[in-house]
Amino acid sequence: MERSEIEAKMKELLVEELGLDEDKIANDSRFEEDLEVDSLGVVELLMALEDNFGVQIPDEEAEQLTTVGEAVDLVQKKLDG
Amino acid sequence: MHDRRVVVTGLGAITSLGNGVEPLWENLLAGKSGISHIERIDVSDIPVKIAAEIKDFDIEQYMSRREARRLDRSSQYFWVATQQALADAGIHYEEDDPAALRAGVLAGTGIGGVETFEEQLNVLVERGPRRMSPTGIAMIISNMAGGVASIDFHLYGPNSTVVTACAASANAIGDAAEVIRRGAADVMVAGGGEASITRFAVGGFSQARALSTNNEDPQGASRPFDLNRDGFVMGEGAAVLILEDYEHAVNRGARIYGEVIGYGMSADGYHITLPRPGGAGAARAMSAALADAGMTPGDLDYINAHGTSTPANDTTETSAIKIAMGDDAYRVPISSSKSMTGHLLGAAGAIESLVCLLAMRDGKIPPTINYETPDPECDLDYVPNTARDVTVRTAMTNSFGFGGHNVSLVFGAVDS
């Protein structure tokens, strides 16, 4: 999957599954500080990524994610892996 | 009599009879039923196909989609009624307002977040625990309506939730009054929310044989005290009252709807779903509320009955009123707004408290609709079918819940 496709899908999931405001989502947006995604939101994101990209993301790896771009990187790594 | 008097200074409601207190009240006085065929869920395999369902509710008019996704429908209704009631009372707290520390919440609900429970149980069964929502538990628990109200409306005082089935929000109002009386708060948001028109709850109540199956005539299905009643009709929504210390209300020039003057409780100690035959348990709650108000039966102008339209309740409640009121049972007008709103379970007591207060304000008692064939065992004045103009200075509402919980509240007029 192309990175641009992952980015587009990521944005869609953040809007659809977490109810975030699309205009606020950028590659360098930080989940906690910029997007106000709390610990429960991180779990929602994790489930959405696993379901929609068909990847497995352990909690330890999810906890390391700070920005939207890092989440895209992680999904890409899993898909390529 | 009580040292600190507790008055009602704000009302809010969302029901099948409208979003807001005034549409509800107008429809009740007009004798209009809010009951219709259930549309939200599949009832093809459930014998009951009618409810007082709210058809056009859009929570995103009130909050972001993101916030709404984390609130069960029952809490959403409570949120909307709370916002209305606070606005009606002219109360608004900023996050750092010291007065907010003296304002609390007492909520009531029958079964809390049952819609979310059902949804998440399906996820668990079909997809496993790793696919359950991380917000599910917080949405299901019955106290969350009150919790979220404290967060969103900045209410940092006492905060609790009563879960006594169909008596829950009557208990919440009585308990909230006591919180103010003992000086622990000046303002309390008190009421209840319920949203149990779900397959789980409709199926379950149907199996308990508690519900009317008069599917052919939804608007005629809830017929309290009528000989041909065959069960209650489920309703949904929320109602909230703003209770306030009398001096606090007067000092800020608040409009006062009335005073909470009596609160009585008892337990049937008899059966998990059926009322004690003869109504002795319910009568004790009514007598306790009158005594708390320092009243005798002759002082009471109106009773808003629990009046569920089940064969057992209406007979038993009639007996209970005779025990508690003596000869005055035959004098006092009694009506059941459940004939129009359906039974809002944990939110019923709050809706019906609101009816008592508006009856006092306007000097009008809403009717018991669908009253056609008298039941020899129900032989009191149920204000059949047409609203009545009458001065109401004192009014009682009864709420009885599965488990044998009996609650009566008495409201009194306050002269300005």
Side-chain angles (χ1 to χ4, degrees):
Chain A
M1 193 181 278
E2 295 291 326
R3 187 180 171 87
S4 60
E5 281 180 75
I6 299 174
E7 280 176 359
K9 186 73 186 165
M10 180 74 67
K11 196 172 209 176
E12 185 189 318
L13 292 176
L14 290 170
V15 172
E16 291 302 316
E17 302 294 328
L18 273 73
L20 299 187
D21 186 350
E22 187 170 0
D23 300 339
K24 289 186 184 160
I25 304 169
N27 221 24
D28 59 353
S29 306
R30 293 165 299 175
F31 288 116
E32 196 179 330
E33 295 86 346
D34 302 326
L35 302 175
E36 296 176 353
V37 175
D38 58 17
S39 58
L40 301 174
V42 170
V43 180
E44 290 179 300
L45 175 64
L46 186 63
M47 292 199 307
L49 295 180
E50 291 189 343
D51 284 350
N52 286 276
F53 292 106
V55 296
Q56 293 286 319
I57 302 173
D59 278 0
E60 308 80 65
E61 290 182 51
E63 283 162 13
Q64 304 301 315
L65 297 177
T66 310
T67 65
V68 173
E70 286 171 16
V72 174
D73 291 342
L74 181 63
V75 170
Q76 183 147 49
K77 195 180 94 188
K78 295 278 175 191
L79 288 173
D80 293 348
Chain B
M1 292 299 286
H2 305 276
D3 290 343
R4 269 166 70 93
R5 297 171 62 187
V6 179
V7 294
V8 181
T9 55
L11 303 175
I14 173 164
T15 68
S16 64
L17 287 174
N19 187 353
V21 171
E22 293 311 323
L24 166 68
W25 184 234
E26 283 163 25
N27 284 322
L28 287 174
L29 291 178
K32 196 174 158 195
S33 170
I35 297 165
S36 59
H37 285 107
I38 295 172
E39 292 175 1
R40 191 182 307 136
I41 56 165
D42 175 18
V43 287
S44 57
D45 55 356
I46 300 176
V48 174
K49 303 181 194 304
I50 53 173
E53 189 177 53
I54 297 175
K55 305 287 190 192
D56 51 2
F57 179 64
D58 178 13
I59 186 62
E60 290 183 42
Q61 290 180 356
Y62 302 90
M63 59 181 70
S64 71
R65 183 166 159 270
R66 184 182 182 186
E67 292 167 307
R69 294 176 73 251
R70 291 185 165 199
L71 270 190
D72 182 81
R73 185 186 297 272
S74 56
S75 299
Q76 293 177 359
Y77 290 154
F78 187 83
W79 196 101
V80 170
T82 299
Q83 187 189 53
Q84 289 175 12
L86 285 168
D88 187 44
I91 291 176
H92 173 82
Y93 300 113
E94 295 297 334
E95 200 169 348
D96 55 356
D97 190 338
L101 304 174
R102 299 277 302 161
V105 184
L106 242 153
T109 186
I111 32 187
V114 65
E115 185 175 276
T116 304
F117 171 77
E118 190 173 323
E119 207 176 271
Q120 290 301 308
L121 188 62
N122 285 336
V123 173
L124 174 65
V125 171
E126 287 164 17
R127 305 187 60 208
R130 294 277 294 167
R131 284 296 169 269
M132 290 170 68
S133 167
T135 61
I137 294 294
M139 294 168 71
I140 294 165
I141 52 180
S142 295
N143 58 298
M144 195 50 68
V148 170
S150 76
I151 297 165
D152 289 353
F153 299 105
H154 309 131
L155 305 161
Y156 303 134
N159 194 302
S160 184
T161 299
V162 191
V163 182
T164 46
C166 303
S169 56
N171 266 138
I173 291 164
D175 288 356
E178 296 197 338
V179 168
I180 294 173
R181 275 181 195 142
R182 70 171 183 262
D186 296 322
V187 171
M188 291 293 288
V189 168
E194 199 77 60
S196 51
I197 302 177
T198 75
R199 281 179 57 77
F200 187 95
V202 178
F205 277 115
S206 172
Q207 284 300 89
R209 302 295 188 268
L211 302 180
S212 170
T213 52
N214 191 355
N215 298 316
E216 296 72 33
D217 180 18
Q219 305 212 330
S222 184
R223 39 196 322 112
F225 305 107
D226 183 273
L227 182 65
N228 298 316
R229 65 189 184 276
D230 73 329
F232 77 82
V233 177
M234 290 174 71
E236 63 172 348
V240 165
L241 283 62
I242 304 301
L243 304 193
E244 191 168 349
D245 170 61
Y246 174 73
E247 299 291 338
H248 190 273
V250 168
N251 288 340
R252 69 181 188 90
R255 173 203 36 211
I256 294 174
Y257 286 97
E259 180 175 358
V260 185
I261 57 175
Y263 177 29
M265 280 189 268
S266 73
D268 263 3
Y270 173 72
H271 187 267
I272 56 171
T273 60
L274 295 173
R276 180 181 282 278
R284 284 187 293 118
M286 296 172 67
S287 296
L290 286 173
D292 189 41
M295 285 166 56
T296 60
D299 301 326
L300 191 61
D301 294 334
Y302 168 54
I303 297 175
N304 185 288
H306 188 53
T308 56
S309 181
T310 63
N313 176 82
D314 297 356
T315 309
T316 309
E317 187 173 9
T318 297
S319 306
I321 291 170
K322 290 177 186 171
I323 296 170
M325 296 289 290
D327 288 344
D328 282 294
Y330 295 89
R331 170 195 57 82
V332 70
I334 301 161
S335 70
S336 169
S337 22
K338 289 188 182 77
S339 59
M340 296 170 275
T341 61
H343 189 352
L344 279 83
L345 309 177
I351 293 279
E352 290 155 22
S353 294
L354 191 150
V355 169
C356 288
L357 291 155
L358 294 174
M360 292 197 300
R361 182 190 72 179
D362 292 352
K364 290 179 191 299
I365 294 176
T368 304
I369 69 164
N370 299 315
Y371 185 85
E372 288 168 352
T373 312
D375 175 347
E377 291 189 73
C378 300
D379 56 350
L380 301 177
D381 173 7
Y382 303 109
V383 192
N385 304 316
T386 311
R388 188 179 300 171
D389 291 333
V390 51
T391 301
V392 181
R393 300 275 305 164
T394 56
M396 174 188 278
T397 182
N398 288 334
S399 297
F400 312 134
F402 277 7
H405 305 275
N406 304 309
V407 179
S408 296
L409 291 167
V410 182
F411 297 91
V414 174
D415 295 316
S416 52

